[in-house]
PDB file of all heavy atoms in Angstrom:
ATOM      1  N   SER P  93     116.666 125.032 132.711  1.00  0.00           N
ATOM      2  CA  SER P  93     115.776 125.927 133.460  1.00  0.00           C
ATOM      3  C   SER P  93     115.729 127.310 132.865  1.00  0.00           C
ATOM      4  O   SER P  93     114.657 127.951 132.780  1.00  0.00           O
ATOM      5  CB  SER P  93     116.206 125.974 134.935  1.00  0.00           C
ATOM      6  OG  SER P  93     117.516 126.474 135.038  1.00  0.00           O
ATOM      7  N   ASP P  94     116.859 127.812 132.428  1.00  0.00           N
ATOM      8  CA  ASP P  94     116.904 129.152 131.820  1.00  0.00           C
ATOM      9  C   ASP P  94     116.266 129.140 130.429  1.00  0.00           C
ATOM     10  O   ASP P  94     115.582 130.108 130.014  1.00  0.00           O
ATOM     11  CB  ASP P  94     118.337 129.657 131.759  1.00  0.00           C
ATOM     12  CG  ASP P  94     118.903 130.033 133.110  1.00  0.00           C
ATOM     13  OD1 ASP P  94     118.144 130.468 133.978  1.00  0.00           O
ATOM     14  OD2 ASP P  94     120.106 129.836 133.323  1.00  0.00           O
ATOM     15  N   LEU P  95     116.486 128.063 129.684  1.00  0.00           N
ATOM     16  CA  LEU P  95     115.883 127.948 128.366  1.00  0.00           C
ATOM     17  C   LEU P  95     114.346 127.958 128.503  1.00  0.00           C
ATOM     18  O   LEU P  95     113.658 128.561 127.680  1.00  0.00           O
ATOM     19  CB  LEU P  95     116.367 126.676 127.653  1.00  0.00           C
ATOM     20  CG  LEU P  95     117.821 126.669 127.211  1.00  0.00           C
ATOM     21  CD1 LEU P  95     118.236 125.274 126.801  1.00  0.00           C
ATOM     22  CD2 LEU P  95     118.066 127.658 126.071  1.00  0.00           C
ATOM     23  N   LEU P  96     113.848 127.228 129.466  1.00  0.00           N
ATOM     24  CA  LEU P  96     112.402 127.176 129.703  1.00  0.00           C
ATOM     25  C   LEU P  96     111.817 128.484 130.224  1.00  0.00           C
ATOM     26  O   LEU P  96     110.657 128.790 129.987  1.00  0.00           O
ATOM     27  CB  LEU P  96     112.047 126.013 130.640  1.00  0.00           C
ATOM     28  CG  LEU P  96     112.314 124.614 130.076  1.00  0.00           C
ATOM     29  CD1 LEU P  96     112.073 123.559 131.158  1.00  0.00           C
ATOM     30  CD2 LEU P  96     111.355 124.347 128.919  1.00  0.00           C
ATOM     31  N   GLN P  97     112.628 129.252 130.962  1.00  0.00           N
ATOM     32  CA  GLN P  97     112.179 130.558 131.378  1.00  0.00           C
ATOM     33  C   GLN P  97     112.017 131.478 130.161  1.00  0.00           C
ATOM     34  O   GLN P  97     111.092 132.296 130.078  1.00  0.00           O
ATOM     35  CB  GLN P  97     113.171 131.158 132.359  1.00  0.00           C
ATOM     36  CG  GLN P  97     113.111 130.622 133.772  1.00  0.00           C
ATOM     37  CD  GLN P  97     111.851 131.089 134.502  1.00  0.00           C
ATOM     38  OE1 GLN P  97     111.396 132.225 134.335  1.00  0.00           O
ATOM     39  NE2 GLN P  97     111.311 130.200 135.322  1.00  0.00           N
ATOM     40  N   ALA P  98     112.944 131.325 129.199  1.00  0.00           N
ATOM     41  CA  ALA P  98     112.897 132.183 127.988  1.00  0.00           C
ATOM     42  C   ALA P  98     111.834 131.703 127.012  1.00  0.00           C
ATOM     43  O   ALA P  98     111.122 132.530 126.425  1.00  0.00           O
ATOM     44  CB  ALA P  98     114.266 132.172 127.342  1.00  0.00           C
ATOM     45  N   PHE P  99     111.747 130.374 126.859  1.00  0.00           N
ATOM     46  CA  PHE P  99     110.803 129.826 125.852  1.00  0.00           C
ATOM     47  C   PHE P  99     110.064 128.649 126.542  1.00  0.00           C
ATOM     48  O   PHE P  99     110.457 127.483 126.364  1.00  0.00           O
ATOM     49  CB  PHE P  99     111.571 129.325 124.634  1.00  0.00           C
ATOM     50  CG  PHE P  99     112.451 130.357 124.008  1.00  0.00           C
ATOM     51  CD1 PHE P  99     113.849 130.304 124.093  1.00  0.00           C
ATOM     52  CD2 PHE P  99     111.866 131.439 123.333  1.00  0.00           C
ATOM     53  CE1 PHE P  99     114.659 131.281 123.513  1.00  0.00           C
ATOM     54  CE2 PHE P  99     112.707 132.433 122.756  1.00  0.00           C
ATOM     55  CZ  PHE P  99     114.076 132.330 122.852  1.00  0.00           C
ATOM     56  N   PRO P 100     109.021 128.928 127.283  1.00  0.00           N
ATOM     57  CA  PRO P 100     108.342 127.859 128.018  1.00  0.00           C
ATOM     58  C   PRO P 100     107.831 126.747 127.094  1.00  0.00           C
ATOM     59  O   PRO P 100     107.309 126.997 125.990  1.00  0.00           O
ATOM     60  CB  PRO P 100     107.154 128.575 128.665  1.00  0.00           C
ATOM     61  CG  PRO P 100     107.630 130.000 128.814  1.00  0.00           C
ATOM     62  CD  PRO P 100     108.491 130.234 127.580  1.00  0.00           C
ATOM     63  N   ALA P 101     108.026 125.484 127.536  1.00  0.00           N
ATOM     64  CA  ALA P 101     107.568 124.325 126.783  1.00  0.00           C
ATOM     65  C   ALA P 101     107.410 123.156 127.748  1.00  0.00           C
ATOM     66  O   ALA P 101     107.990 123.144 128.844  1.00  0.00           O
ATOM     67  CB  ALA P 101     108.629 123.969 125.689  1.00  0.00           C
ATOM     68  N   ASN P 102     106.615 122.192 127.328  1.00  0.00           N
ATOM     69  CA  ASN P 102     106.354 121.022 128.179  1.00  0.00           C
ATOM     70  C   ASN P 102     107.312 119.916 127.770  1.00  0.00           C
ATOM     71  O   ASN P 102     107.110 119.259 126.727  1.00  0.00           O
ATOM     72  CB  ASN P 102     104.891 120.568 128.018  1.00  0.00           C
ATOM     73  CG  ASN P 102     104.556 119.393 128.948  1.00  0.00           C
ATOM     74  OD1 ASN P 102     105.204 119.193 129.961  1.00  0.00           O
ATOM     75  ND2 ASN P 102     103.550 118.627 128.531  1.00  0.00           N
ATOM     76  N   ILE P 103     108.347 119.689 128.520  1.00  0.00           N
ATOM     77  CA  ILE P 103     109.329 118.660 128.178  1.00  0.00           C
ATOM     78  C   ILE P 103     109.519 117.704 129.385  1.00  0.00           C
ATOM     79  O   ILE P 103     109.490 118.123 130.532  1.00  0.00           O
ATOM     80  CB  ILE P 103     110.663 119.255 127.738  1.00  0.00           C
ATOM     81  CG1 ILE P 103     111.292 120.135 128.858  1.00  0.00           C
ATOM     82  CG2 ILE P 103     110.514 120.057 126.465  1.00  0.00           C
ATOM     83  CD1 ILE P 103     112.681 120.611 128.524  1.00  0.00           C
ATOM     84  N   ARG P 104     109.698 116.425 129.075  1.00  0.00           N
ATOM     85  CA  ARG P 104     109.943 115.391 130.077  1.00  0.00           C
ATOM     86  C   ARG P 104     110.948 114.348 129.472  1.00  0.00           C
ATOM     87  O   ARG P 104     111.249 114.391 128.278  1.00  0.00           O
ATOM     88  CB  ARG P 104     108.639 114.652 130.414  1.00  0.00           C
ATOM     89  CG  ARG P 104     107.538 115.545 131.018  1.00  0.00           C
ATOM     90  CD  ARG P 104     107.846 115.930 132.457  1.00  0.00           C
ATOM     91  NE  ARG P 104     106.690 116.597 133.078  1.00  0.00           N
ATOM     92  CZ  ARG P 104     106.438 117.880 132.988  1.00  0.00           C
ATOM     93  NH1 ARG P 104     107.232 118.670 132.253  1.00  0.00           N
ATOM     94  NH2 ARG P 104     105.376 118.426 133.574  1.00  0.00           N
ATOM     95  N   ILE P 105     111.391 113.444 130.279  1.00  0.00           N
ATOM     96  CA  ILE P 105     112.252 112.349 129.811  1.00  0.00           C
ATOM     97  C   ILE P 105     111.387 111.137 129.590  1.00  0.00           C
ATOM     98  O   ILE P 105     110.568 110.746 130.441  1.00  0.00           O
ATOM     99  CB  ILE P 105     113.325 112.051 130.843  1.00  0.00           C
ATOM    100  CG1 ILE P 105     114.198 113.248 131.120  1.00  0.00           C
ATOM    101  CG2 ILE P 105     114.230 110.883 130.336  1.00  0.00           C
ATOM    102  CD1 ILE P 105     114.941 113.818 129.938  1.00  0.00           C
ATOM    103  N   TYR P 106     111.553 110.496 128.419  1.00  0.00           N
ATOM    104  CA  TYR P 106     110.759 109.336 128.043  1.00  0.00           C
ATOM    105  C   TYR P 106     111.629 108.182 127.602  1.00  0.00           C
ATOM    106  O   TYR P 106     112.764 108.395 127.096  1.00  0.00           O
ATOM    107  CB  TYR P 106     109.818 109.702 126.881  1.00  0.00           C
ATOM    108  CG  TYR P 106     108.757 110.722 127.296  1.00  0.00           C
ATOM    109  CD1 TYR P 106     109.005 112.098 127.131  1.00  0.00           C
ATOM    110  CD2 TYR P 106     107.542 110.333 127.807  1.00  0.00           C
ATOM    111  CE1 TYR P 106     108.054 113.032 127.452  1.00  0.00           C
ATOM    112  CE2 TYR P 106     106.543 111.274 128.165  1.00  0.00           C
ATOM    113  CZ  TYR P 106     106.844 112.617 128.005  1.00  0.00           C
ATOM    114  OH  TYR P 106     105.891 113.567 128.358  1.00  0.00           O
ATOM    115  N   GLN P 107     111.089 106.992 127.732  1.00  0.00           N
ATOM    116  CA  GLN P 107     111.753 105.769 127.259  1.00  0.00           C
ATOM    117  C   GLN P 107     111.018 105.292 126.033  1.00  0.00           C
ATOM    118  O   GLN P 107     109.785 105.269 125.999  1.00  0.00           O
ATOM    119  CB  GLN P 107     111.790 104.693 128.382  1.00  0.00           C
ATOM    120  CG  GLN P 107     112.429 103.402 127.921  1.00  0.00           C
ATOM    121  CD  GLN P 107     113.905 103.551 127.573  1.00  0.00           C
ATOM    122  OE1 GLN P 107     114.657 104.237 128.251  1.00  0.00           O
ATOM    123  NE2 GLN P 107     114.323 102.937 126.450  1.00  0.00           N
ATOM    124  N   HIS P 108     111.790 104.861 125.025  1.00  0.00           N
ATOM    125  CA  HIS P 108     111.204 104.326 123.789  1.00  0.00           C
ATOM    126  C   HIS P 108     112.120 103.221 123.296  1.00  0.00           C
ATOM    127  O   HIS P 108     113.267 103.123 123.699  1.00  0.00           O
ATOM    128  CB  HIS P 108     111.098 105.471 122.730  1.00  0.00           C
ATOM    129  CG  HIS P 108     110.449 105.085 121.465  1.00  0.00           C
ATOM    130  ND1 HIS P 108     111.150 104.738 120.337  1.00  0.00           N
ATOM    131  CD2 HIS P 108     109.145 104.934 121.162  1.00  0.00           C
ATOM    132  CE1 HIS P 108     110.306 104.430 119.360  1.00  0.00           C
ATOM    133  NE2 HIS P 108     109.089 104.547 119.839  1.00  0.00           N
ATOM    134  N   ALA P 109     111.596 102.403 122.381  1.00  0.00           N
ATOM    135  CA  ALA P 109     112.391 101.301 121.824  1.00  0.00           C
ATOM    136  C   ALA P 109     113.650 101.819 121.144  1.00  0.00           C
ATOM    137  O   ALA P 109     114.661 101.086 121.086  1.00  0.00           O
ATOM    138  CB  ALA P 109     111.551 100.478 120.843  1.00  0.00           C
ATOM    139  N   SER P 110     113.643 103.052 120.654  1.00  0.00           N
ATOM    140  CA  SER P 110     114.800 103.607 119.963  1.00  0.00           C
ATOM    141  C   SER P 110     115.800 104.204 120.943  1.00  0.00           C
ATOM    142  O   SER P 110     116.874 104.629 120.584  1.00  0.00           O
ATOM    143  CB  SER P 110     114.361 104.673 118.984  1.00  0.00           C
ATOM    144  OG  SER P 110     113.666 105.733 119.623  1.00  0.00           O
ATOM    145  N   GLY P 111     115.409 104.304 122.238  1.00  0.00           N
ATOM    146  CA  GLY P 111     116.287 104.863 123.273  1.00  0.00           C
ATOM    147  C   GLY P 111     115.577 105.901 124.110  1.00  0.00           C
ATOM    148  O   GLY P 111     114.487 106.375 123.796  1.00  0.00           O
ATOM    149  N   THR P 112     116.231 106.273 125.187  1.00  0.00           N
ATOM    150  CA  THR P 112     115.687 107.369 126.065  1.00  0.00           C
ATOM    151  C   THR P 112     115.868 108.692 125.392  1.00  0.00           C
ATOM    152  O   THR P 112     116.900 108.964 124.794  1.00  0.00           O
ATOM    153  CB  THR P 112     116.430 107.319 127.424  1.00  0.00           C
ATOM    154  OG1 THR P 112     116.259 106.029 128.029  1.00  0.00           O
ATOM    155  CG2 THR P 112     115.862 108.379 128.333  1.00  0.00           C
ATOM    156  N   TYR P 113     114.868 109.552 125.539  1.00  0.00           N
ATOM    157  CA  TYR P 113     114.939 110.857 124.869  1.00  0.00           C
ATOM    158  C   TYR P 113     114.229 111.925 125.671  1.00  0.00           C
ATOM    159  O   TYR P 113     113.329 111.577 126.526  1.00  0.00           O
ATOM    160  CB  TYR P 113     114.408 110.808 123.437  1.00  0.00           C
ATOM    161  CG  TYR P 113     112.905 110.685 123.341  1.00  0.00           C
ATOM    162  CD1 TYR P 113     112.128 111.790 122.996  1.00  0.00           C
ATOM    163  CD2 TYR P 113     112.292 109.472 123.474  1.00  0.00           C
ATOM    164  CE1 TYR P 113     110.729 111.673 122.867  1.00  0.00           C
ATOM    165  CE2 TYR P 113     110.903 109.315 123.340  1.00  0.00           C
ATOM    166  CZ  TYR P 113     110.170 110.443 123.034  1.00  0.00           C
ATOM    167  OH  TYR P 113     108.760 110.313 122.886  1.00  0.00           O
ATOM    168  N   ARG P 114     114.580 113.166 125.494  1.00  0.00           N
ATOM    169  CA  ARG P 114     113.880 114.307 126.030  1.00  0.00           C
ATOM    170  C   ARG P 114     112.743 114.663 125.050  1.00  0.00           C
ATOM    171  O   ARG P 114     113.015 115.073 123.941  1.00  0.00           O
ATOM    172  CB  ARG P 114     114.827 115.499 126.218  1.00  0.00           C
ATOM    173  CG  ARG P 114     114.256 116.642 127.020  1.00  0.00           C
ATOM    174  CD  ARG P 114     115.302 117.669 127.337  1.00  0.00           C
ATOM    175  NE  ARG P 114     115.837 118.316 126.140  1.00  0.00           N
ATOM    176  CZ  ARG P 114     117.117 118.514 125.886  1.00  0.00           C
ATOM    177  NH1 ARG P 114     118.034 118.083 126.713  1.00  0.00           N
ATOM    178  NH2 ARG P 114     117.487 119.131 124.748  1.00  0.00           N
ATOM    179  N   GLY P 115     111.504 114.439 125.481  1.00  0.00           N
ATOM    180  CA  GLY P 115     110.405 114.651 124.591  1.00  0.00           C
ATOM    181  C   GLY P 115     109.623 115.915 124.892  1.00  0.00           C
ATOM    182  O   GLY P 115     109.519 116.332 126.034  1.00  0.00           O
ATOM    183  N   ARG P 116     109.068 116.506 123.845  1.00  0.00           N
ATOM    184  CA  ARG P 116     108.264 117.720 124.006  1.00  0.00           C
ATOM    185  C   ARG P 116     106.867 117.498 123.497  1.00  0.00           C
ATOM    186  O   ARG P 116     106.651 116.843 122.456  1.00  0.00           O
ATOM    187  CB  ARG P 116     108.914 118.875 123.254  1.00  0.00           C
ATOM    188  CG  ARG P 116     108.137 120.186 123.369  1.00  0.00           C
ATOM    189  CD  ARG P 116     108.874 121.323 122.698  1.00  0.00           C
ATOM    190  NE  ARG P 116     108.956 121.242 121.237  1.00  0.00           N
ATOM    191  CZ  ARG P 116     107.973 121.564 120.396  1.00  0.00           C
ATOM    192  NH1 ARG P 116     106.785 121.967 120.899  1.00  0.00           N
ATOM    193  NH2 ARG P 116     108.126 121.469 119.102  1.00  0.00           N
ATOM    194  N   THR P 117     105.858 118.038 124.201  1.00  0.00           N
ATOM    195  CA  THR P 117     104.470 117.943 123.746  1.00  0.00           C
ATOM    196  C   THR P 117     103.873 119.379 123.755  1.00  0.00           C
ATOM    197  O   THR P 117     104.348 120.260 124.501  1.00  0.00           O
ATOM    198  CB  THR P 117     103.633 117.063 124.663  1.00  0.00           C
ATOM    199  OG1 THR P 117     103.716 117.549 126.026  1.00  0.00           O
ATOM    200  CG2 THR P 117     104.099 115.624 124.637  1.00  0.00           C
ATOM    201  N   GLY P 118     102.860 119.555 122.951  1.00  0.00           N
ATOM    202  CA  GLY P 118     102.219 120.851 122.891  1.00  0.00           C
ATOM    203  C   GLY P 118     103.028 121.861 122.117  1.00  0.00           C
ATOM    204  O   GLY P 118     103.844 121.528 121.273  1.00  0.00           O
ATOM    205  N   GLU P 119     102.782 123.143 122.415  1.00  0.00           N
ATOM    206  CA  GLU P 119     103.430 124.241 121.681  1.00  0.00           C
ATOM    207  C   GLU P 119     104.488 124.940 122.558  1.00  0.00           C
ATOM    208  O   GLU P 119     104.454 124.905 123.773  1.00  0.00           O
ATOM    209  CB  GLU P 119     102.378 125.278 121.266  1.00  0.00           C
ATOM    210  CG  GLU P 119     101.395 124.753 120.286  1.00  0.00           C
ATOM    211  CD  GLU P 119     100.293 125.771 119.955  1.00  0.00           C
ATOM    212  OE1 GLU P 119      99.696 126.333 120.898  1.00  0.00           O
ATOM    213  OE2 GLU P 119     100.044 126.008 118.774  1.00  0.00           O
ATOM    214  N   ILE P 120     105.438 125.592 121.892  1.00  0.00           N
ATOM    215  CA  ILE P 120     106.428 126.385 122.555  1.00  0.00           C
ATOM    216  C   ILE P 120     105.872 127.818 122.690  1.00  0.00           C
ATOM    217  O   ILE P 120     105.185 128.296 121.806  1.00  0.00           O
ATOM    218  CB  ILE P 120     107.732 126.428 121.745  1.00  0.00           C
ATOM    219  CG1 ILE P 120     108.332 124.994 121.601  1.00  0.00           C
ATOM    220  CG2 ILE P 120     108.762 127.386 122.382  1.00  0.00           C
ATOM    221  CD1 ILE P 120     109.519 124.944 120.713  1.00  0.00           C
ATOM    222  N   GLN P 121     106.176 128.429 123.808  1.00  0.00           N
ATOM    223  CA  GLN P 121     105.739 129.810 124.060  1.00  0.00           C
ATOM    224  C   GLN P 121     106.875 130.789 123.808  1.00  0.00           C
ATOM    225  O   GLN P 121     108.053 130.485 124.152  1.00  0.00           O
ATOM    226  CB  GLN P 121     105.229 129.929 125.482  1.00  0.00           C
ATOM    227  CG  GLN P 121     104.107 128.967 125.842  1.00  0.00           C
ATOM    228  CD  GLN P 121     102.861 129.210 125.020  1.00  0.00           C
ATOM    229  OE1 GLN P 121     102.333 130.323 125.004  1.00  0.00           O
ATOM    230  NE2 GLN P 121     102.416 128.164 124.349  1.00  0.00           N
ATOM    231  N   ILE P 122     106.529 131.933 123.248  1.00  0.00           N
ATOM    232  CA  ILE P 122     107.522 133.001 123.017  1.00  0.00           C
ATOM    233  C   ILE P 122     106.963 134.333 123.495  1.00  0.00           C
ATOM    234  O   ILE P 122     105.743 134.498 123.579  1.00  0.00           O
ATOM    235  CB  ILE P 122     107.937 133.088 121.510  1.00  0.00           C
ATOM    236  CG1 ILE P 122     106.694 133.381 120.663  1.00  0.00           C
ATOM    237  CG2 ILE P 122     108.623 131.825 121.083  1.00  0.00           C
ATOM    238  CD1 ILE P 122     107.025 133.643 119.186  1.00  0.00           C
ATOM    239  N   PRO P 123     107.805 135.324 123.782  1.00  0.00           N
ATOM    240  CA  PRO P 123     107.315 136.629 124.217  1.00  0.00           C
ATOM    241  C   PRO P 123     106.612 137.337 123.020  1.00  0.00           C
ATOM    242  O   PRO P 123     107.007 137.098 121.856  1.00  0.00           O
ATOM    243  CB  PRO P 123     108.554 137.374 124.645  1.00  0.00           C
ATOM    244  CG  PRO P 123     109.651 136.734 123.888  1.00  0.00           C
ATOM    245  CD  PRO P 123     109.287 135.266 123.744  1.00  0.00           C
ATOM    246  N   PRO P 124     105.608 138.166 123.280  1.00  0.00           N
ATOM    247  CA  PRO P 124     104.916 138.865 122.208  1.00  0.00           C
ATOM    248  C   PRO P 124     105.811 139.647 121.279  1.00  0.00           C
ATOM    249  O   PRO P 124     105.541 139.726 120.068  1.00  0.00           O
ATOM    250  CB  PRO P 124     103.932 139.726 122.931  1.00  0.00           C
ATOM    251  CG  PRO P 124     103.699 139.121 124.270  1.00  0.00           C
ATOM    252  CD  PRO P 124     105.023 138.468 124.594  1.00  0.00           C
ATOM    253  N   GLU P 125     106.903 140.198 121.811  1.00  0.00           N
ATOM    254  CA  GLU P 125     107.770 141.019 120.960  1.00  0.00           C
ATOM    255  C   GLU P 125     108.522 140.202 119.919  1.00  0.00           C
ATOM    256  O   GLU P 125     109.060 140.743 118.930  1.00  0.00           O
ATOM    257  CB  GLU P 125     108.773 141.824 121.814  1.00  0.00           C
ATOM    258  CG  GLU P 125     109.784 140.981 122.574  1.00  0.00           C
ATOM    259  CD  GLU P 125     109.345 140.727 124.022  1.00  0.00           C
ATOM    260  OE1 GLU P 125     108.118 140.675 124.256  1.00  0.00           O
ATOM    261  OE2 GLU P 125     110.239 140.579 124.882  1.00  0.00           O
ATOM    262  N   LEU P 126     108.586 138.892 120.107  1.00  0.00           N
ATOM    263  CA  LEU P 126     109.239 138.009 119.110  1.00  0.00           C
ATOM    264  C   LEU P 126     108.234 137.340 118.178  1.00  0.00           C
ATOM    265  O   LEU P 126     108.622 136.603 117.236  1.00  0.00           O
ATOM    266  CB  LEU P 126     110.114 136.988 119.776  1.00  0.00           C
ATOM    267  CG  LEU P 126     111.313 137.502 120.612  1.00  0.00           C
ATOM    268  CD1 LEU P 126     112.116 136.307 121.139  1.00  0.00           C
ATOM    269  CD2 LEU P 126     112.172 138.415 119.743  1.00  0.00           C
ATOM    270  N   ALA P 127     106.931 137.507 118.448  1.00  0.00           N
ATOM    271  CA  ALA P 127     105.895 136.868 117.598  1.00  0.00           C
ATOM    272  C   ALA P 127     105.970 137.450 116.178  1.00  0.00           C
ATOM    273  O   ALA P 127     106.074 138.652 115.980  1.00  0.00           O
ATOM    274  CB  ALA P 127     104.535 137.152 118.175  1.00  0.00           C
ATOM    275  N   GLY P 128     106.005 136.558 115.190  1.00  0.00           N
ATOM    276  CA  GLY P 128     106.116 136.977 113.775  1.00  0.00           C
ATOM    277  C   GLY P 128     107.544 137.126 113.371  1.00  0.00           C
ATOM    278  O   GLY P 128     107.856 137.082 112.149  1.00  0.00           O
ATOM    279  N   LEU P 129     108.431 137.358 114.298  1.00  0.00           N
ATOM    280  CA  LEU P 129     109.852 137.495 114.030  1.00  0.00           C
ATOM    281  C   LEU P 129     110.534 136.132 114.098  1.00  0.00           C
ATOM    282  O   LEU P 129     111.278 135.706 113.218  1.00  0.00           O
ATOM    283  CB  LEU P 129     110.472 138.476 115.018  1.00  0.00           C
ATOM    284  CG  LEU P 129     111.910 138.867 114.906  1.00  0.00           C
ATOM    285  CD1 LEU P 129     112.148 140.222 115.626  1.00  0.00           C
ATOM    286  CD2 LEU P 129     112.865 137.852 115.489  1.00  0.00           C
ATOM    287  N   VAL P 130     110.244 135.391 115.148  1.00  0.00           N
ATOM    288  CA  VAL P 130     110.783 133.998 115.315  1.00  0.00           C
ATOM    289  C   VAL P 130     109.802 133.020 114.647  1.00  0.00           C
ATOM    290  O   VAL P 130     108.591 133.061 114.886  1.00  0.00           O
ATOM    291  CB  VAL P 130     110.925 133.662 116.805  1.00  0.00           C
ATOM    292  CG1 VAL P 130     111.205 132.160 117.025  1.00  0.00           C
ATOM    293  CG2 VAL P 130     112.009 134.485 117.423  1.00  0.00           C
ATOM    294  N   VAL P 131     110.357 132.166 113.807  1.00  0.00           N
ATOM    295  CA  VAL P 131     109.535 131.195 113.072  1.00  0.00           C
ATOM    296  C   VAL P 131     109.781 129.750 113.512  1.00  0.00           C
ATOM    297  O   VAL P 131     109.080 128.841 113.043  1.00  0.00           O
ATOM    298  CB  VAL P 131     109.712 131.310 111.549  1.00  0.00           C
ATOM    299  CG1 VAL P 131     109.275 132.700 111.076  1.00  0.00           C
ATOM    300  CG2 VAL P 131     111.174 131.050 111.131  1.00  0.00           C
TER     301      VAL P 131
END
């Protein structure tokens, strides 16, 4: 919850033939002051 407050992202739990995993879709969000600094 704190990680997502700092860096918002769309993550859910998914099932796959290779095993259950925490999956992410779309883009990660960062604060403007870190844009260009964080890669």
Side-chain angles (χ1 to χ4, degrees):
S93 59
D94 290 327
L95 291 168
L96 290 173
Q97 283 289 325
F99 306 109
N102 183 25
I103 59 174
R104 301 285 189 274
I105 302 299
Y106 295 89
Q107 178 63 43
H108 184 260
S110 60
T112 301
Y113 72 103
R114 189 172 65 226
R116 180 174 69 80
T117 57
E119 296 176 309
I120 298 173
Q121 304 297 304
I122 59 174
E125 65 264 30
L126 296 184
L129 185 158
V130 169
V131 298

